[in-house]
Amino acid sequence: MKIEALKLIAFGPFTDRILDFSGERFGLQVLFGPNEAGKTTALRALTGLLYGFGHIVGDAWKHQPRDLAVGGVFVLSDGRTLNLTRFKRRKNDLIDDDTGEPVGQALLDEHLGRMGREAFTHAFGVSHESLRLGVESVLAAGGDLGHALFAATSGLNTLKLAMARLDEKMAELFTPRSRKALLTTGIAEIKRLRKEQKDASSSHIQWLKMKKQVDRLQQSEKTNEIELEELSARIGSLSRHRDAVKHVAARARLEKELDRIGPAPRLRENFRQERVETRMGVEQAAQTEKHLKRDLGEIDKRLENLSVDERIVNDGKRVEALAGEANVHAKARADAKSLRARIHQQQDSAKDALERLRPGLTSEDAEKLRLSRPEQSRIQRLASAGVKLEESRISAEKALKSAAANLEKLQGRLDAFEKPERPESAEILEDAVFRASELGKIEAQLEKFENETLLLRGRIDADLAALGLWKGELSVLERLAIPTDETMREYGKRIENVERKLDDVRRELKKEEKKRADSQRRFDRMTRSRELPSLKDLHTHRTLRDKGWLSIRAAWLHGEEPDPEFMEAFASDGHLADLYEKSVERADRTSDILRQEAEAVAQADNLREEIREIDVELLAGKIRRDDLRGKRDKLWDQWRKLWSPIGVDPLPPAEMLEWSGRTKELKRKAEAFRKNEAEAGVVRKSMAAAASELMSALLAANAKAPENAGFSTLLSLARRALAKLEKADRDRRNLEGSISALQAEIDGHRERSAEIELEIGRWKEQWAAVVLRLGLEADAGHEDVLEFVLALEDVFRILEKAKDYQVRHDAISSDYEKYRAKVREAADELAPELSAPDPETVALKLNARLKKEQERLKERKTLELDKRKKAAELAKIQENKAALEERMRLLCLEGKTDDPEALPEVEKRSADRIRVERDLAKVDERLEELSVGEDLDAFAERVKSCDPDELSAGIEVLVSKRKQLEQERKRIVAELALAGKELNAIGEESDASMIAVKAEGQIAKTQADVERYVKLRLGSAILAKAMERYRQTHQSPVLEAAGGYFKTITRNAFEGLRADYDEKGNPVIKAVRPDGALLEIAELSDGSRDQLFLALRFGGLFNYVKNNGPMPLVVDDVLVHFDDERSAAALQAMADLARNTQIVFFTHHRHLIDVMKKALPDSPPNVQYL
Amino acid sequence: MTLFVHAADIHLDSPLKGLYQDESAPDPEEIRGAARAAFDKLVDLVLSEGAPLLIIAGDLYDGDWKDFSTGLYFASRMRKLAEEGVRVAVVRGNHDAENKMTKSLVMPENVRIFPSRKPETWILEHLNMALHGQSYPRRDVTENLALDYPEPVPGMLNIGILHCLISGAEGHLPYAPCTSDQLAAKGYDYWALGHVHEPAVVRKTPLIVYPGCIQGRHIRETGDKGCALVEREEDGLSVEFVPLDVLRWMALETDASGADSVDRVVSIFGDVFEERIANLDGRVCCVRVRITGCCPVHGRLLADPDTVVANIKAMAAEVSGGRAWIEKVEIRTAPEIDLAQLAESDTPQGELLRYMDEIESCENPFELLNADFSSLKAKLAGTDVSVPEDDAAQLLRDARDILLTMLADMESREERS
């Protein structure tokens, strides 16, 4: 897929901005935007277009969120075109522009590799930040091949971090040896709680034991209780007898006293008090009766002298009302007088006012001039409009004058400005300053390069001196054709191989020799004391014997010479027959020995055979040894020959490899040295060019500059000159702007004046119409007219007031006459003798008479009431007195006497008898208690017969015994309480249940932790396996492509990338030098690592595009930390990749565009500016 | 008129399961002895209703519970009932058949524990009732005990007491299996059953009733728990279920579809939970939270479950006023991104997902991944905690989502920094 156009319809700062990516089939599309131009926003817009805007609101500051819209034209792999627009909506946010219908995200996903927003942005987005993270991750993973491929292809740049985080989380949960891990502590806690629960559970046996103890104590308590009861009963009996002694004596005494007192009435307790009260009551009643009779006589007398006029009293309300009105009418009469005066006054004022307004004007005329409320308002509005129009006219004139004066002043200032001689000089200067500024801190850079060059030179000299084996100049060294590492390794391996084999052969020979010596020793030991022939010997001896026999036969039968071989076989000469005999004997002996010593012979035979075989082996070994020696020497010769062209007498290959490494390091340093020198040269050159450009630009701008001024001095001078020029230009432009603005202003003022005059004309017509209605002149001033209207209003107000006063006066006079008639009527009825000049006085006098009569009536009523009260009181007293006298008679009856005076004596005897009888009853009651149901007299008789002292002694003994029993009881009860409590406690709340709940809770928690641990562990394993699998399937194509990019990006400093193994045998990625040397990632410089990761990313993308078709790659300022040279190389690699797929490159570095143009002269990228 | 109270499956002092006590948990005193508190309520109910008879149809204790104080506690409550003249009829069920403690404990005279050798009838003349029952002689009683129950006593109210499984009930061991027809055929007026922990009226004529357990002990025992109160009505017997539990177990599903942060998930949970606890009458509740739905926060929930649990607990404490235990938080959400589509892509992520699919379908994925948990298993021995190897597919899916989230998280974190 390719993006043909990105339409920023409404997004961030953009409105209807179209970024056109059409043109060649693919290619590098560059979007340049300086800071704040919206580069990042455009990047977000692109992602938003592909996957939706989500919840982002940051880009809706210029446009409303509902208006956000980004469109795109996509060319699909099959050539079809898709026109889509994305809106910020919850549903149907993707619209097909061709049909206007919503389309699903699935449509886009299908063309975006079905990978979702996150995976897509990772896989097809590269930024310098992601590059940095990726390099760190790959480095942290030790350059692991699977990891590097997985990370670079997916764009997941923090794989290693994620893996470390997984491990960390797992370790928090569980490691077999950690005691602090969550699971370990959880398990320990479960075990602890289980134990605690067991301890807290009460056992059955324990309960039974305690139960027995309680039962025993309960039995003791029962026994003790019975004993105590018996004892208490005995003590009680004795105590009763002892206590009864004194009561029996008292009983006798009281019976005697009763006889003495004799018979007497049993008077009530309050009899005496009642008698005294009755007597005093009778006396008091007689006294009161007397006083009341006297008072009643006096009241009757006073009533006879008191008379009342009831007529006036009955008509009291009318009289009081008339008196009440008197004051009101007096005041009204005074008011009427005052009103009359005011009426005259108002009428005079109105007349005067009319005269002043217009001589001869009567109030009737004036009425015709009366204005309605709308007419008044209209006059006021017109007057106020007239004033405003006048003010506008004046103000417009003033403004016009002021603007004209300003214009003149500014024109004068503009005329005073000088015209620049060479207007283009400022532009030249600006360009020069821009280019010089682009160079940055070039002097510091130069110094850095020079310092580094010096440093490197020193190191190179030192390293060269310490190199050994070879002496000469560095330049020679660099050209030396040192054998490659592979060759050296190969020789090393071969020589090592030969040496190892040689060692093996030597060891083998030594072993065989030792073995031979052993066998020989054993053989010698066996044959030292006896002869042990072999079967071969027997065969030899027999053959010889047979030869002897043939010789004898030949000599004997044919007379031939004996077989010389036979004859020579014997050391000593002899006769044939002897010799034959000897041979026969020897063959027989050998045969005998062989038979007799068969076992020993066989052993000797074996040993002999063994020795023979060993000898064969030894010989072969020696031949092999010599052969290997030859090979080794030949190898060494070749090795030396290999080094002879460069005049080095080589050490063994391993050491030479190390030596070669050092020379390579020297070469690298030399290369760096020369690069530094070259860069210093370039910098110096650019600085000089910039300085010269600045100098000429300064001269062109007529600015002075010292001839030997340095770059930075020139730059700051140029900047100052440029600022000055720019300021002058700005000032002049400002002035011109102000002048044209002023001219426009003056025109405006003139137009306004003309409009005002027109309005004044219209106003005058309306004014004249209004004013004539009032009988005034058409040009009457608005203030005069308003004043006339106001004066007319005043006159109408005064006349109204006079009318009001007249009405009020008439009302007062009518009321007063009515009042007078009412007073006269009342006086005629109630007091015809009363006379007075005015009705008010008559009314008041009548009222005074009424008050007096009312007083007398009140007094008469009081006296009558008093009389009734006293009469009632008297009757009551008399009744009471009679009752008291009856009561006294009854008391005498009770005391059984006729004389009330004898009653005190009767009372005394009665009291004595009652007291003695009560005491006797008490004694009997007590004795009854002590006798516990026994007959009282019998009990008393028995008590009399007891000795009190004996009783006390008996009781004392029993009480002491009871005390002992009680103490015993206390002890038993205490023990029982304790034991009972303990026993019951078992049935109370048990901790075991609570602990069990805790244990169950801990089990659940630990179970959850286990599950989490298992998931993390599985996650970690899955990731590792998936990476390895990915490596196996993608290693070759990705590495191959990445290697090519790496070569391009490093400008052939490396040949490519290769899969290799590290010391531990793990597959890792290595960079290949042109000389074949392999470097691990850790051995690369920071810059080379960045380049390597970028190459890997490109390699992965190339592989994807190859398998799945083109997909736009978004590159965001990835070259920030690359210098121009490396940037150019990276851009070339990018352009290479862009032949197969579209690359949208976002940058805010202007110089990169220049770099790009230089680096890609044949296919310049399509640059769009934001 | 209350005739009797019927309860079963009391499991006295058996611990509540899965309640981990940490800082955010409610006061543990609230759940201390929940089973006893519920049992006290049962005793109070018998007394306050003036019921002359309490029937306990098996599983009064747990078989492996060894704390003797439990038996003493029961005896003390039985004495309390004895003081008021209440009779108690008990049969032993599969759980307490083998409990030695119960055998040696002396019960007050008002308690009748039915023998296990054969069924027996207890005549209560003053109540005009005949109770028929049989205890379990051992744990695994697989024969139908009901068949041998005696004939009903004519003219009396006949009640059968039996700990059994009526065919058709699921999730319980098939002890003393029988059918409701078999029970009905006995001619009793009421069958007081035990064993099934959910209350149920199995049949109305005659009444065959499971009262359920009186207090839930784990998350599979949710909802009201209590006993059956049986009264005599004009036209026969009536049953009313009376809740007794002091602590309610609750399974709560939180649909977190579309949630993009842990806070949002917790907030949704808070709303759902608030609605659910409105009618708990101030009971403490134990809640299992199951978070479901497709949501962007799915992976984060899996990767950092501690944070999720801590936040859920804090929200539960706030909403319930500190009266809720969070027993477990099950994360059963799904990712919002289309993994099937990503798996089709030619990317390392796609490769990873395809590999995952392969592993899932293989017979022994742990072995394939060299994931050896033997040292962990050794440590876990004897703790009742196990390595959950049975549900490998779910574990692998979770592991995959943790992995994908962690990769994406690290990327965005590093890019931000």
Side-chain angles (χ1 to χ4, degrees), chain A residues 375-393:
Chain A
E375 280 173 327
Q376 278 181 21
S377 302
R378 184 170 159 73
I379 289 173
Q380 266 169 0
R381 273 200 311 276
L382 278 171
S384 131
V387 171
K388 275 186 190 157
L389 279 170
E390 188 59 27
E391 279 171 1
S392 303
R393 192 173 57 79

Side-chain angles (χ1 to χ4, degrees), chain A residues 1063-1080:
Chain A
E1063 291 165 350
K1064 293 177 192 160
N1066 298 319
V1068 294
I1069 192 163
K1070 284 187 179 173
V1072 188
R1073 283 274 183 201
D1075 59 5
L1078 296 176
L1079 296 182
E1080 285 191 15

Side-chain angles (χ1 to χ4, degrees), chain A residues 109 113-115 156-158 169 202 204 207 986 988-991 1002 1007 1012 1015 1025 1029 1108, chain B residues 19-20 32 36 67-69 72 104 303 305-306 341-342 344-346 355 358 372 384 386 398 411:
Chain A
D109 282 348
R114 300 174 184 281
M115 54 184 88
L156 293 174
N157 304 306
T158 52
K169 281 192 170 187
S202 319
H204 175 212
W207 183 80
I986 296 181
E988 293 302 318
E989 278 189 352
S990 163
D991 280 342
Q1002 183 62 48
Q1007 183 68 53
R1012 222 171 106 222
K1015 289 175 193 172
K1025 287 264 179 187
R1029 225 166 88 115
N1108 300 280
Chain B
L19 302 183
Y20 180 67
R32 186 187 176 92
R36 286 196 189 189
D67 188 2
F68 194 63
S69 71
L72 294 175
S104 55
D306 287 348
Q341 181 167 302
L342 186 57
E344 285 177 25
S345 70
D346 181 20
Y355 179 52
E358 276 177 37
D372 174 23
D384 289 348
S386 58
D398 286 354
E411 283 300 319

Side-chain angles (χ1 to χ4, degrees), chain A residues 590-756:
Chain A
T590 304
S591 171
D592 289 346
I593 293 170
L594 278 175
R595 201 174 55 251
Q596 286 158 8
E597 303 272 347
E599 198 178 337
V601 168
Q603 275 179 15
D605 261 356
N606 282 345
L607 280 174
R608 226 179 266 121
E609 183 60 24
E610 218 172 275
I611 290 165
R612 196 187 56 76
E613 281 171 6
I614 291 171
D615 284 343
V616 171
E617 281 296 317
L618 274 174
L619 189 65
K622 277 172 188 161
I623 292 166
R624 267 208 309 282
R625 183 184 62 193
D626 295 344
D627 184 37
L628 282 170
R629 275 181 184 156
K631 270 187 187 165
R632 182 186 63 185
D633 294 346
K634 202 169 150 195
L635 263 177
W636 266 98
D637 284 347
Q638 284 171 357
W639 176 240
R640 286 199 192 87
K641 214 181 271 170
L642 193 67
W643 289 92
S644 62
I646 56 168
V648 170
D649 185 18
L651 297 169
E655 287 171 48
M656 286 320 284
L657 204 57
E658 191 267 338
W659 184 85
S660 157
R662 278 189 285 142
T663 57
K664 275 182 199 157
E665 185 55 36
L666 253 172
K667 283 182 189 174
R668 266 201 290 283
K669 280 181 186 162
E671 196 181 323
F673 167 74
R674 263 193 298 286
K675 193 174 158 201
N676 252 328
E677 253 187 348
E679 275 176 355
V682 170
V683 169
R684 232 178 264 125
K685 208 167 136 194
S686 346
M687 200 165 87
S692 122
E693 192 184 0
L694 282 172
M695 179 64 99
S696 49
L698 277 169
L699 290 175
N702 273 345
K704 283 176 190 166
E707 276 183 15
N708 51 355
F711 170 75
S712 54
T713 316
L714 281 172
L715 183 58
S716 63
L717 276 174
R719 276 186 181 141
R720 274 207 292 279
L722 184 59
K724 205 168 143 195
L725 282 173
E726 280 172 352
K727 187 175 178 301
D729 188 42
R730 210 162 42 240
D731 288 352
R732 198 161 56 77
R733 280 171 203 275
N734 285 346
L735 214 48
E736 282 168 357
S738 303
I739 285 169
S740 60
L742 263 179
Q743 271 166 347
E745 197 181 323
I746 286 168
D747 293 344
H749 287 320
R750 282 192 183 125
E751 274 174 28
R752 177 81 190 119
S753 292
E755 279 168 16
I756 289 169

